[in-house]
Amino acid sequence: MKTLFAAIIFCSLSLGAFAQQATATKTNTTSTKATTTYRCPVCGYTSIKACDCPKDKTAMVKVGDYYCPECYMTSAKAGKCSMCGVDMKKMEPAPPSGTTK
């Protein structure tokens, strides 16, 4: 009876130790989130949410995606525009403020 009681206590303590390790790794991975930015292909307005540009009412393009410079159609892949056949351009991040070309 004593050995059964000791085995139950040992198992519960070892499960508690593994549960502590699992929660510690979850908190470390969820704290590093990358923010997605969107830019207007016409004027370069930058936002953190997908919406229409408040200046010229054009749909914002996610930085890193591709867009058509003629009709502003967007795509996640490079290639030709499915509507007008023009080569898609990659939306680059906004240049740091204070820099000149």
Side-chain angles (χ1 to χ4, degrees), residues 19-86:
Q20 293 292 328
Q21 289 178 348
T23 57
T25 56
K26 282 185 181 179
T27 57
N28 289 342
T29 57
T30 58
S31 64
T32 57
K33 286 186 177 181
T35 59
T36 304
T37 56
Y38 298 87
R39 285 190 66 202
C40 175
V42 178
C43 67
Y45 175 80
T46 305
S47 176
I48 57 171
K49 58 182 177 178
C51 59
D52 288 343
C53 178
K55 295 178 182 176
D56 35 43
K57 308 300 183 220
T58 306
M60 305 285 274
V61 179
K62 182 178 172 183
V63 171
D65 281 358
Y66 294 87
Y67 71 98
C68 175
E70 295 293 321
C71 64
Y72 305 116
M73 185 86 168
T74 61
S75 173
K77 298 178 185 176
K80 301 262 184 199
C81 176
S82 61
M83 286 184 68
C84 61
V86 175

Side-chain angles (χ1 to χ4, degrees), residues 7-17:
I8 291 173
I9 289 176
F10 177 74
C11 288
S12 63
L13 288 176
S14 63
L15 288 176

Side-chain angles (χ1 to χ4, degrees), residues 86-98:
V86 175
D87 287 332
M88 303 286 269
K89 291 177 67 177
K90 186 173 184 176
M91 180 55 75
E92 300 294 333
S97 59

